[in-house]
Amino acid sequence: MQVPSPRKAADSSSVLVRWMGLVDANSAGYVHGGTVMKLCDEVAGLAAVRHSRCRVVTAGMDRMTFLEPIHIGELVTFTASVNAAWRTSMEVGVRVESENPRTGVVRHTSTAYLTMVALDDDGRPTGVPPLGVGSADEQRREREAQTRRRNRLAEREELLRDRDD
Ligand SMILES: CC(C)(COP(=O)(O)OP(=O)(O)OC[C@H]1O[C@@H](n2cnc3c(N)ncnc32)[C@H](O)[C@@H]1OP(=O)(O)O)[C@@H](O)C(=O)NCCC(=O)NCCS
C-alpha cells in the first residue's frame, strides 16, 4: 500500500469567525459554553477534512478550557490546526480568541483538543496522511498531542482492568 506524503499543519489550518449575538447567550448573559464547544468542533472538523481530504467524525474531546467568559457583542475567532496524525485519527487543537470590536482588546478565552477520525465511503476508519512537522512550535504541539494520546490510552486500559478485577 502506498503511504501518502506528509502534509503540513499550515496547509489545513482553519479559521472561523463569529459575532456573538443574543441567541448565543446563557442565563448569566455571557456566551453559552455549548456555543463555543460547537464552533470548536466545527473548525476542528474543517481542519481534519482538509488534512485528510476525507469525511471525518469527532471521536472525542480531550480537553476544553474556559479561561474567561465571552461577552455578547464580541467577535470570536476559532483557529484550528492538526497537532498530530496517527493511523486513522488526528488531534486538532483549537485556540479561541475573543475581541471587543469597540476597544480592539483581544483575549484568549479557550483552548480545546479534539480527536477526529477519517472515514472512507463505507463509513469505516481510513488512513490519513502523516503530519509534516517543521517549526519548533509544531514539534511541541506534536509532542504534547502524543502525551495526551498516551495518557488517554493508559487511562482507558487502567479503567478496563479495574472493571475486570
Ligand atoms: C470514532 C469511531 C469511527 C471509531 O471507530 P472504531 O470502531 O473504534 O475504530 P477503531 O478501533 O479502528 O479506531 C479508529 C481510530 O479512532 C480512535 N478512537 C476511537 N475511539 C476514540 C476515542 N474515544 N477517543 C479518541 N480516539 C478514539 C482510535 O484510537 C483509532 O485511531 P488510530 O487509527 O489513529 O490509531 C466510532 O467510534 C464512531 O463512529 N463514533 C461516533 C462518532 C460520532 O458520531 N461523532 C459525533 C458526530 S461527528
Side-chain angles (χ1 to χ4, degrees):
M1 194 179 73
Q2 204 186 348
V3 180
S5 46
R7 292 200 185 139
K8 292 189 230 151
D11 294 340
S12 57
S13 178
S14 300
V15 179
L16 279 182
V17 182
R18 258 281 301 271
W19 180 76
M20 295 293 160
L22 283 178
V23 291
D24 301 307
N26 63 17
S27 54
Y30 299 117
V31 171
H32 202 287
T35 300
V36 178
M37 289 172 85
K38 179 170 185 285
L39 289 163
C40 283
D41 190 40
E42 280 181 14
V43 76
L46 263 175
V49 167
R50 293 169 90 192
H51 180 81
S52 63
R53 298 295 178 203
C54 289
R55 187 158 72 87
V56 302
V57 284
T58 312
M61 190 178 253
D62 260 342
R63 193 170 314 157
M64 172 91 230
T65 56
F66 293 98
L67 305 169
E68 294 184 31
I70 299 174
H71 305 102
I72 302 305
E74 291 192 326
L75 191 62
V76 185
T77 302
F78 300 80
T79 307
S81 306
V82 175
N83 288 337
W86 294 286
R87 190 177 60 88
T88 66
S89 66
M90 298 149 274
E91 185 195 90
V92 183
V94 181
R95 182 182 172 92
V96 184
E97 290 182 335
S98 193
E99 176 186 343
N100 179 324
R102 289 177 59 197
T103 62
V105 171
V106 176
R107 296 172 302 126
H108 173 207
T109 51
S110 285
T111 296
Y113 299 103
L114 299 95
T115 303
M116 317 298 294
V117 176
L119 301 181
D120 65 16
D121 291 342
D122 299 318
R124 285 188 303 252
T126 188
V128 298
L131 183 70
V133 179
S135 70
D137 261 353
E138 287 173 358
Q139 288 178 31
R140 176 185 53 77
R141 290 192 194 118
E142 215 260 349
R143 204 170 48 242
E144 291 176 0
Q146 297 290 1
T147 301
R148 277 185 290 275
R149 176 178 162 103
R150 235 183 357 259
N151 289 344
R152 177 164 38 76
L153 293 176
E155 180 187 89
R156 182 181 144 88
E157 212 168 280
E158 186 180 336
L159 294 178
L160 289 176
R161 207 173 38 238
D162 284 352
R163 279 188 207 173
D164 291 342
D165 289 346

